[in-house]
Amino acid sequence: GSTRIGVIYPPQAVTTLEVRPLSNADAERTVKRWLPHAHPFRVRDICGYAGGNPLYLEELCHRAGSGAEVLPVGGAHSADNWLETLIASRVARLPKLEIELVQSAAVIGHTIPIWLFECVTGCSSDDPRVRRLAEEDLIFPGEDATTLRFKHRITRDVVYEGVGLGDRRRLHLATAQALATRSPDPAEACEALAYHFGAAGELQQAAEYAELAGNRATSTSALDRAKSQYMAALEALGRLGPSPSLVKRFPAIAQRLGLA
């Protein structure tokens, strides 16, 4: 009884076929087949969240069809949220410094200006650790050469949910301070400044920038954005507690909200 060992050699020629994401039109058609009676805004949210990935589209349609909210991802990764669980476990396996980088990027947002990423992290965008995040299917160069981006919004949200409250506030504050001092166009950054200062717990500054963003949106007749920013300003002011300045500012902003 001799033993014969067989060796299987790889083929001499290998063709690699890259499967690209679905186009927006194809993604919308796919969602409408799964959810024929879905509201157009729900279809838009699902398509934007899935990033053209057919697997994500299908699972998000199942989730929406069950009556669950598509956005945002909850903090608890239960068994039926297996996509979130898979992403969270993939991030958890990264080295500590890479986890910190991807979490910093998640706090900045889905699309990350390279200059802002470098200010907040102190890490160059061409650092090997950043390239490894691309290999891990997390962060890629954006369509604009000056940005990075998460592969999917769902990936960004899962990473963000994994950031502890203390670290989250610290990173939001660092992002806001970098935007306030080094943004190429501070006027354009008002909405982002309001968001980041608010998430950092700096309510006075959050209210100021939200009010400025509301005024700017009103001046260009972007009334939906104006309403959301004025409401954010009022919410921040309400959390500050009573003061003489609040007595004047709150009714003035409320009036502009009513006009919008």
Side-chain angles (χ1 to χ4, degrees):
S2 62
T3 302
R4 178 175 296 178
I5 300 175
V7 179
I8 301 176
Y9 292 94
Q12 295 300 310
V14 176
T15 300
T16 301
L17 177 63
E18 180 181 0
V19 181
R20 300 186 63 81
L22 296 177
S23 67
N24 288 338
D26 287 337
E28 287 185 6
R29 282 194 289 269
T30 300
V31 173
K32 288 175 182 176
R33 282 198 293 269
W34 281 99
L35 302 171
H37 305 297
H39 191 282
F41 288 121
R42 175 57 64 89
V43 174
R44 181 200 62 190
D45 284 346
I46 292 173
C47 291
Y49 212 40
N53 185 313
L55 174 61
Y56 282 19
L57 282 172
E58 180 177 348
E59 292 306 317
L60 289 170
C61 285
H62 281 305
R63 183 170 173 174
S66 68
E69 286 294 324
V70 175
L71 301 172
V73 176
H77 304 300
S78 57
D80 58 351
N81 289 334
W82 63 272
L83 284 176
E84 291 95 320
T85 303
L86 287 176
I87 294 168
S89 63
R90 184 151 43 95
V91 172
R93 291 195 298 269
L94 295 173
K96 183 175 184 293
L97 289 177
E98 290 176 19
I99 293 176
E100 292 174 356
L101 287 177
V102 75
Q103 288 182 339
S104 298
V107 168
I108 294 171
H110 172 65
T111 300
I112 309 127
I114 287 175
W115 72 266
L116 185 54
F117 175 82
E118 293 178 345
C119 281
V120 172
T121 65
C123 179
S124 171
S125 61
D126 59 3
D127 187 282
R129 290 169 295 184
V130 179
R131 290 199 295 270
R132 172 157 169 78
L133 293 176
E135 294 170 1
E136 290 293 329
D137 237 14
L138 294 169
I139 297 176
F140 295 83
E143 295 179 1
D144 182 337
T146 64
T147 63
L148 301 171
R149 66 172 179 84
F150 279 89
K151 186 171 185 180
H152 302 286
R153 284 167 55 192
I154 193 171
T155 302
R156 181 263 170 182
D157 287 358
V158 170
V159 175
Y160 183 83
E161 288 291 332
V163 184
L165 180 59
D167 287 336
R168 189 182 299 183
R169 287 188 170 183
R170 174 181 58 80
L171 290 168
H172 275 296
L173 182 58
T175 303
Q177 290 172 336
L179 282 168
T181 58
R182 299 188 59 178
S183 175
D185 188 352
E188 288 283 352
C190 284
E191 287 189 25
L193 282 162
Y195 165 67
H196 288 294
F197 274 124
E202 301 292 332
L203 300 176
Q204 183 65 51
Q205 290 167 293
E208 290 173 3
Y209 281 111
E211 183 179 358
L212 289 173
N215 294 343
R216 182 178 176 85
T218 299
S219 69
T220 59
S221 299
L223 299 184
D224 284 343
R225 293 172 67 184
K227 287 188 289 185
S228 66
Q229 292 303 312
Y230 287 140
M231 290 175 66
L234 293 175
E235 180 184 358
L237 288 174
R239 291 168 60 193
L240 279 171
S243 68
S245 63
L246 178 63
V247 173
K248 294 181 180 180
R249 289 183 65 194
F250 201 97
I253 297 173
Q255 183 180 29
R256 275 173 275 162
L257 171 61
L259 291 172

